[in-house]
């Protein structure tokens, strides 16, 4: 990566890292504070869902505000609003006031992500998007792990100290962006594919995206409740949540490489079955602290890998001209899953006790196994056409980062092998041809050369 490109991406990534440290443990902090105050799992789920409602609303409307006032001013406004909502939560306790503050905070947080992701999107063309997305992932996950580890430290300083630290970090994150020259990247209002088109094109991708939103949101908001109720201290809860995020960061790439070489529907079935096994182990094994850490590390790798594999599977089916709108539509589906998850799973915990979380995890994962198996029997997956891309964007602009040059070329190749004109009728697709492209045409193989020669 050139020094010029790195310089353009450094400020937004540094702002993301600083903000992400505080945002990384805020959901955990709110859950453990509500539980310590005696609130039920249902109330905790309702308050937690407000953040994801705010994220979904902001993802749909914040781009209009960004176009009006510019990136740097928008970032300062959104980050300041994040700081204000967090500090107000530290000043007084009321679950329903916290619901409103979390909703506003979610709306403002996705505005911050929109500025960062749109800036990265315009920092380089499709040839370097993969590297930019990798830097984005490292910043986001590293901040999440560090933030969770700070939970116990800040909590020991006093009841209001964690909220003050998060507010300070949100305010401090403005500084790197304020040093950028006054040049705003141009962005367009996103028009994601509507749900009925997505379902026609990729039912498996839609269900994988919806389910991923559900399990990831539950992991962020309700897993800390489970950990605290089995007797862990706030410091231990933060450490275990850091282990979950670390598993998500370290296991995505090997799972993605696996999906590049095999039927991605089978990979989705394997991930879901793995999550069933982990949920059963959490329910029935005697859990020592080391065993719990191992299981949570593996659980993080499984639930966080579901979405990027589902998006990669959808990209194997999509025409090249629909890739951006498809990724934006699946991101919206993922946000819907995250919004409804705490509302659905927290009553299960109220009715069944703390173990209800893993009964819900296991049941959802088993449903995914059955659904993906059924879809594979109805319409087998196409061959993977481009390398797996780990997906973490929060906004429609960020979803476009996933559409790399390799992905577009792979989709164009797939259009030659299958008639996709009925998948997204309003998108122009290449004329299908019998057999693979000729030798003089662009042809990219993403399997090992040895495996290709064996098949020949």
């Amino acid at each position: 990566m050139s020094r010029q490109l790195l310089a353009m991406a450094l400020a937004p990534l540094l702002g993301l890292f600083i903000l992400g440290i505080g945002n990384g443990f805020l959901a955990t902090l709110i859950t453990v504070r509500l539980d310590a105050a005696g609130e039920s799992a249902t109330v905790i789920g309702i308050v937690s869902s407000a953040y994801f409602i705010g994220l979904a609303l902001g993802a749909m409307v914040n781009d209009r505000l960004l176009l009006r006032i510019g990136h740097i001013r928008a970032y300062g406004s959104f980050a300041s609003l994040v700081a204000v909502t967090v500090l107000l939560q530290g000043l007084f306790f009321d679950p329903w006031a916290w619901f409103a503050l979390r909703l506003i905070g979610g709306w403002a947080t996705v505005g911050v992500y929109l500025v960062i992701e749109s800036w990265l999107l315009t920092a380089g063309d499709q040839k370097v998007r993969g590297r930019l997305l990798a830097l984005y992932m490292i910043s986001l996950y590293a901040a999440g792990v560090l933030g969770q580890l700070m939970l116990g430290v800040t909590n020991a300083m006093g009841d209001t100290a964690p909220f003050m630290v998060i507010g300070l970090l949100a305010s401090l994150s403005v500084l790197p962006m304020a040093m950028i020259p006054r040049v705003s990247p141009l962005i367009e209002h996103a028009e994601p594919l509507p749900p009925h088109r997505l379902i026609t094109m990729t039912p498996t991708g839609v269900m994988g995206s919806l389910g991923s939103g559900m399990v990831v949101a539950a992991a962020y908001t309700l897993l800390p409740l489970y950990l605290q109720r089995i007797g862990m201290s706030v410091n231990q809860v933060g450490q275990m949540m850091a282990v979950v995020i670390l598993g998500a960061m370290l296991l995505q790439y090997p799972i993605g490489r696996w999906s590049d070489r095999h039927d991605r529907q089978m990979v989705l079935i394997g991930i879901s079955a793995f999550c069933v096994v982990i949920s059963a182990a959490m329910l029935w094994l005697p859990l020592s602290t080391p065993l719990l850490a191992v299981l949570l590390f593996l659980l993080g790798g499984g639930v966080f890998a579901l979405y990027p594999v589902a998006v990669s599977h959808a990209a194997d089916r999509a025409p090249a001209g629909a890739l951006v709108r498809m990724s934006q539509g699946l991101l919206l589906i993922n946000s819907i899953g995250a919004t409804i998850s705490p509302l659905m799973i927290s009553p299960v915990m109220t009715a069944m006790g703390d173990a209800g979380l893993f009964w819900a995890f296991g049941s959802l994962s088993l449903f995914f196994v059955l659904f993906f198996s059924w879809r594979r029997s109805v319409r087998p997956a196409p061959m993977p056409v481009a390398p797996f891309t780990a997906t973490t964007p929060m906004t429609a602009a960020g979803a476009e980062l996933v559409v790399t040059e390799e992905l577009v070329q792979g989709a164009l190749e797939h259009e030659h092998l299958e008639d996709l004109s009925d998948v997204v009728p309003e998108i122009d697709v290449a004329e299908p041809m019998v057999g693979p492209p000729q030798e003089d045409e662009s042809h990219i193989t993403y399997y090992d050369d040895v495996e290709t020669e064996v098949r020949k």
Side-chain angles (χ1 to χ4, degrees):
M1 180 178 295
S2 67
R3 294 175 61 182
Q4 181 181 4
L5 180 61
L6 182 60
M8 290 182 66
L10 183 60
L13 288 174
L14 183 57
L16 171 70
F17 180 75
I18 295 171
L19 181 83
I21 294 173
N23 201 49
F25 72 92
L26 180 57
T28 304
L29 173 66
I30 290 172
T31 296
V32 298
R33 286 294 175 87
L34 288 170
D35 182 54
E39 300 295 339
S40 68
T42 301
V43 171
I44 294 173
I46 292 172
V47 174
S48 299
S49 70
Y51 174 75
F52 297 103
I53 295 172
L55 286 180
L57 292 175
M60 292 186 287
V61 303
N62 281 353
D63 55 347
R64 296 179 177 88
L65 179 61
L66 186 58
L67 289 170
R68 289 183 180 180
I69 67 175
H71 281 62
I72 297 175
R73 286 194 295 171
Y75 188 97
S77 301
F78 288 130
S80 297
L81 193 54
V82 170
V84 169
T85 57
V86 173
L87 292 173
L88 285 175
Q89 287 179 266
L91 288 178
F92 65 93
F93 176 84
D94 180 81
W96 303 114
W98 278 22
F99 177 91
L101 291 170
R102 285 296 280 161
L103 192 149
I104 297 171
W107 174 79
T109 299
V110 81
V112 169
Y113 284 119
L114 177 61
V115 174
I116 292 170
E117 292 175 359
S118 60
W119 197 284
L120 291 176
L121 181 64
T122 56
D125 56 21
Q126 289 178 341
K127 295 180 181 179
V128 298
R129 283 181 184 174
R131 283 172 282 177
L132 287 173
L133 188 61
L135 290 174
Y136 178 91
M137 280 189 58
I138 292 171
S139 300
L140 195 63
Y141 280 125
V145 171
L146 182 58
Q148 296 289 348
L149 294 176
M150 286 183 61
L151 175 62
V153 177
T154 57
N155 192 70
M157 299 177 183
D159 291 341
T160 61
F163 297 99
M164 293 176 63
V165 170
I166 297 171
L168 289 171
L169 289 170
S171 300
L172 187 61
S173 72
V174 177
L175 291 180
M177 295 297 293
M179 297 177 184
I180 294 177
R182 296 182 59 183
V183 178
S184 291
L186 297 176
I187 63 171
E188 297 179 357
H189 179 61
E191 294 184 3
L193 282 180
H196 69 279
R197 290 293 184 204
L198 287 169
I199 293 172
T200 300
M201 183 172 67
T202 173
T204 297
V206 169
M207 183 56 67
S209 299
L210 180 71
S212 171
M214 295 179 68
V215 294
V216 169
Y220 271 124
T221 61
L222 297 177
L223 181 56
L225 175 63
Y226 168 84
L227 294 172
Q228 182 160 276
R229 288 187 173 179
I230 64 172
M232 288 195 163
S233 66
V234 173
N235 187 48
Q236 290 173 317
V237 170
Q239 292 172 353
M240 289 298 171
M241 290 301 298
V243 167
V244 173
I245 299 173
L246 189 64
M249 181 172 70
L250 296 181
L251 296 183
Q252 271 199 46
Y253 183 75
I255 292 174
R257 293 291 292 170
W258 176 36
S259 78
D260 279 346
R261 290 168 169 79
H262 298 84
D263 179 342
R264 283 195 169 116
Q265 285 177 322
M266 282 302 301
V267 175
L268 289 169
I269 293 169
I271 293 172
S272 302
F274 179 73
C275 290
V276 173
V277 173
I278 296 296
S279 299
M282 293 292 295
L283 288 169
W284 294 320
L285 290 182
L287 296 177
S288 62
T289 299
L291 178 59
L292 179 61
V294 170
L295 291 175
L296 291 180
F297 179 87
L298 296 174
L299 182 68
V303 299
F304 281 83
L306 187 61
Y307 178 61
V309 174
V311 173
S312 296
H313 166 78
D316 293 335
R317 174 70 176 164
L323 285 172
V324 173
R325 295 181 62 195
M326 177 215 71
S327 62
Q328 293 168 341
L330 291 179
L331 180 63
L332 179 59
I333 297 293
N334 182 261
S335 300
I336 293 172
T339 299
I340 64 176
S341 171
L343 299 174
M344 291 179 58
I345 297 179
S346 57
V348 178
M349 295 183 69
T350 299
M352 301 182 64
D354 307 330
L357 173 63
F358 289 100
W359 282 109
F361 267 158
S363 300
L364 281 172
S365 300
L366 181 60
F367 171 78
F368 298 150
V369 170
L370 298 175
F371 180 87
F372 296 145
S373 299
W374 168 67
R375 286 306 308 169
R376 188 170 186 271
S377 68
V378 172
R379 187 170 71 182
M383 291 178 61
V385 297
F388 167 89
T389 301
T391 309
T392 56
M394 305 288 291
T395 70
E400 193 172 345
L401 277 170
V402 180
V403 184
T404 61
E405 184 181 40
E406 292 84 1
L407 192 66
V408 172
Q409 291 182 357
L412 288 171
E413 178 183 328
H414 181 60
E415 288 180 22
H416 284 291
L417 303 178
E418 182 181 1
D419 186 357
L420 301 178
S421 58
D422 62 333
V423 176
V424 188
E426 65 269 26
I427 300 295
D428 291 332
V429 299
E431 290 292 330
M433 57 186 293
V434 178
Q438 300 299 318
E439 292 184 1
D440 60 343
E441 295 187 27
S442 175
H443 180 76
I444 299 177
T445 300
Y446 294 107
Y447 295 90
D448 289 343
D449 293 336
V450 175
E451 294 178 1
T452 305
E453 291 299 323
V454 169
R455 283 199 293 271
K456 290 181 180 179

